[in-house]
Amino acid sequence: MQPAQKLAPQSNPIDLVENIFSSRSFELERRNSDEVVVEVQGKWSNMLLFFAWEAGMQCMHVSCLMDIENKLENRSKIFELLALINEELWVGHFSYWTEQNTPVFKHSIFMRRDEENAEENLEQLIDIAIKECERMYPIFKVVLTKGMEPRQALYPMLMETAGRA
């Protein structure tokens, strides 16, 4: 077991993000010293993870965009779906990026420079973003491409299961 990686006083957590994805053999694009973008192949489609470090607040932000074609003209269904989905989330939230016409998962965490578990916290943040996008992709897909009503699309996810298969 490796010792927890600690941020050096002058380090940038974006470097840790690069290390995490490089060790997983992912290609990434370092846009500048405080931003990096990584494309991840998901179960349903590719996802684009965007990381931004805000040094003044010591805050790391992640956005995860799903590749879903949106055929809806009326955005009221989209916003109803976002509200219903966000009620079910413990961490992060989904919003709608109008410029790209797609839903996006967003979450931020504060990271102190002397934090001992910085890399573990970033890995957890990455895993949560990917997991939530994977979980919600089919729901967004049927609403955005087939026009299904949001409550109807969410119904299977909200049902409690009983017993075992």
Side-chain angles (χ1 to χ4, degrees):
M1 187 181 204
Q2 295 179 1
Q5 188 163 350
K6 193 174 181 177
L7 286 174
Q10 301 304 317
S11 71
N12 184 334
I14 292 293
D15 298 333
L16 288 179
V17 173
E18 273 190 322
N19 292 343
I20 290 167
F21 282 104
S22 294
S23 71
R24 297 178 183 183
S25 300
F26 282 90
E27 288 190 31
L28 48 92
E29 176 190 345
R30 182 86 178 239
R31 292 190 170 170
N32 60 48
S33 62
D34 294 327
E35 295 179 1
V36 69
V37 177
V38 183
E39 188 170 358
V40 175
Q41 174 60 49
K43 170 170 46 174
W44 308 104
S45 74
N46 286 354
M47 294 175 275
L48 202 59
L49 290 158
F50 172 78
F51 297 86
W53 171 245
E54 181 14 81
M57 291 183 3
Q58 294 190 24
C59 186
M60 176 68 76
H61 174 80
V62 65
S63 296
C64 187
L65 284 80
M66 298 174 284
D67 186 16
I68 302 176
E69 182 183 357
N70 183 2
K71 297 180 180 178
L72 286 180
E73 296 287 328
N74 180 353
R75 291 195 179 154
S76 63
K77 280 188 182 181
I78 295 167
F79 295 117
E80 179 185 355
L81 180 60
L82 290 171
L84 292 169
I85 285 174
N86 285 333
E87 287 178 359
E88 300 300 317
L89 297 179
W90 279 61
V91 175
H93 69 279
F94 281 94
S95 64
Y96 191 74
W97 190 9
T98 53
E99 184 179 304
Q100 294 296 319
N101 209 26
T102 190
V104 59
F105 176 83
K106 295 180 175 186
H107 187 59
S108 299
I109 59 172
F110 294 105
M111 299 180 70
R112 293 187 331 267
R113 296 253 187 222
D114 61 348
E115 192 165 338
E116 289 193 30
N117 298 320
E119 189 166 348
E120 289 174 13
N121 290 345
L122 283 172
E123 286 178 341
Q124 185 178 30
L125 177 61
I126 292 163
D127 291 343
I128 289 169
I130 292 171
K131 178 184 151 219
E132 292 299 348
C133 286
E134 289 285 334
R135 186 168 75 108
M136 297 302 173
Y137 182 92
I139 296 164
F140 278 115
K141 179 92 173 164
V142 296
V143 173
L144 297 177
T145 64
K146 308 288 186 209
M148 184 180 278
E149 291 299 317
R151 287 192 187 279
Q152 183 183 0
L154 275 169
Y155 183 74
M157 186 189 86
L158 300 177
M159 289 182 3
E160 272 190 51
T161 56
R164 274 192 237 179

